[in-house]
Amino acid sequence: AEDGIRDQPRSRGLGDVYKRQMRILTLLFILFAQTALAQGSIKVTNGSGAILRTLDRLSGNVADFKVTNGEIITLGNISVLMKECRYPSQSIDIDAFAYLAISGQETEKVFFEGWMISSSPALSALEHPRYDVWVLKCIPYSKGNFMYQRAF
């Protein structure tokens, strides 16, 4: 260093990088596991249906549909069957879990079948080149002027 040029800092090597990544991944796994366990203990209530939002990527059209359990809506060349919607018993506005079956009309190819979660739409998303479908909220059962709820 007498010539005015500083010594280059020594490389820490890939081993240190991997150790740091493993610590971060372990921490993320622990946080995810705690969240999953906490969500697993949520009491839910069945809704009578759901409000779904759709996007046609070609035209840019966005539409909301009120769909009851067992109802099928048609979006271009796909059919969306709303099988069931559940929401946390303490509040309908917190989250929504909808079981959907989405298939092609002509080919009857199943593009998606499973639970969509309104708070995490990318967790289980429809993979279709033209359409997006996601859950906004559940619709509660109503009987007269009060809400009728079936909890489990």
Side-chain angles (χ1 to χ4, degrees):
E2 295 177 7
D3 59 358
I5 300 174
R6 295 184 179 205
D7 293 330
Q8 292 291 327
R10 296 186 65 152
S11 171
R12 298 182 77 186
L14 287 177
D16 290 334
V17 172
Y18 291 136
K19 286 178 190 174
R20 194 172 3 163
Q21 287 176 344
M22 287 307 295
R23 281 189 221 125
I24 291 170
L25 287 173
T26 303
L27 179 65
L28 288 173
F29 176 76
I30 290 170
L31 290 173
F32 178 74
Q34 288 176 343
T35 303
L37 288 174
Q39 288 180 350
S41 63
I42 293 175
K43 290 191 175 207
V44 295
T45 302
N46 270 3
S48 64
I51 298 175
L52 304 178
R53 178 162 289 163
T54 63
L55 167 67
D56 182 337
R57 293 180 187 163
L58 292 181
S59 68
N61 289 335
V62 176
D64 292 349
F65 294 92
K66 185 176 179 179
V67 186
T68 58
N69 293 343
E71 185 179 355
I72 297 174
I73 61 168
T74 301
L75 181 64
N77 63 353
I78 65 170
S79 297
V80 180
L81 169 61
M82 173 73 214
K83 290 191 174 184
E84 186 176 355
C85 194
R86 298 178 184 174
Y87 58 92
S89 296
Q90 65 267 29
S91 175
I92 194 168
D93 296 321
I94 293 176
D95 211 348
F97 316 101
Y99 194 89
L100 302 173
I102 304 172
S103 59
Q105 288 186 318
E106 293 98 29
T107 62
E108 295 185 17
K109 177 183 176 186
V110 176
F111 294 108
F112 178 86
E113 184 167 3
W115 292 97
M116 281 193 183
I117 304 168
S118 66
S119 62
S120 303
L123 187 62
S124 56
L126 167 66
E127 293 185 21
H128 190 273
R130 181 170 178 177
Y131 300 104
D132 272 340
V133 176
W134 60 96
V135 181
L136 294 181
K137 66 184 293 184
C138 287
I139 303 166
Y141 282 98
S142 61
K143 189 174 185 180
N145 291 332
F146 64 92
M147 298 296 188
Y148 168 73
Q149 299 176 347
R150 295 183 301 160
F152 50 115

